[in-house]
Amino acid sequence: QIEIQVEQLDAAKEVRDHFQKAVEKSKEIFDSGDGNVFQADLTKLKLGLSNTLKNIIDLEHDTQIGKLNLGKLINQELRDGNDITVTDPIPIDFPYASFDGYLKAKKITRQAKVIGKAGIVSNEIHSKQSTKLTEENSLLLYKAYLGVMSSKDKVMLGKKNRKITRALLVSEVANYDFGIGDSQELFEALIIYTRVYNSYLDSIYTLNVSVAELEK
């Protein structure tokens, strides 16, 4: 969670810098009266900057709280930035393409169907340690597996969307810097990039937690 928040914070600061440059450039054009920048354009960019600054405040707060919570779990005080090493968030590798494949990899096999004394069909799941899973627990395990697969699909989709929006952002920023861009299009690119990238990072967190819950 801390890794995700730190990455989101870095992205928010990058977007903040783009907004600040856009506001300064737009104000310069507006004051000169030589361009087609209107008061509404300038106001929208300022609001975008303000919202990004609020996001930065929230993320810095959430990161601090996350470190306090983590410190409590491991009985260590984590306040200084050097107290914890943060790496880029990486999706956990989950190579199982089917539920049966997952069970096989975990050395859990399905017992052949047998007819009990009451004529009831039994299809229990056993591990090599002969630990039996009830029908209810077997269903919970399968639901958890489906949750992982859904989260994995969202990560893959988010990764593609991130590349697309990143390319859009770079293009719009460059166009505006060269004086051939539109402030409205730049504003939308910054907002879309922030939303899509944050969503992608959240999907990584969800996947990793889903895998942990499945293993549990």
Side-chain angles (χ1 to χ4, degrees), residues 108-124:
I108 300 174
T109 58
R110 294 179 182 274
Q111 188 181 46
K113 291 183 179 180
V114 294
I115 305 298
K117 292 182 179 180
I120 299 175
V121 176
S122 174
N123 189 25
E124 293 180 337

Side-chain angles (χ1 to χ4, degrees), residues 44-102:
K44 189 171 292 186
L45 289 173
K46 288 182 178 179
L47 289 175
L49 173 60
S50 177
N51 185 63
T52 302
L53 293 174
K54 177 181 178 300
N55 288 341
I56 290 175
I57 294 172
D58 289 339
L59 287 167
E60 288 177 339
H61 169 265
D62 292 343
T63 302
Q64 291 174 338
I65 297 300
K67 288 183 179 181
L68 290 174
N69 291 335
L70 178 59
K72 183 178 180 180
L73 287 173
I74 63 176
N75 195 29
Q76 182 178 341
E77 190 171 340
L78 300 173
R79 291 185 179 178
D80 188 82
N82 297 324
D83 283 345
I84 180 171
T85 300
V86 179
T87 60
D88 293 337
I90 300 174
I92 290 178
D93 182 30
F94 191 80
Y96 313 107
S98 69
F99 185 56
D100 287 338
Y102 174 76

Side-chain angles (χ1 to χ4, degrees), residues 156-167:
M156 296 178 65
L157 179 61
K159 187 176 182 179
K160 293 179 181 179
N161 290 338
R162 177 197 173 189
K163 290 182 179 179
I164 294 173
T165 54
R166 181 67 186 178

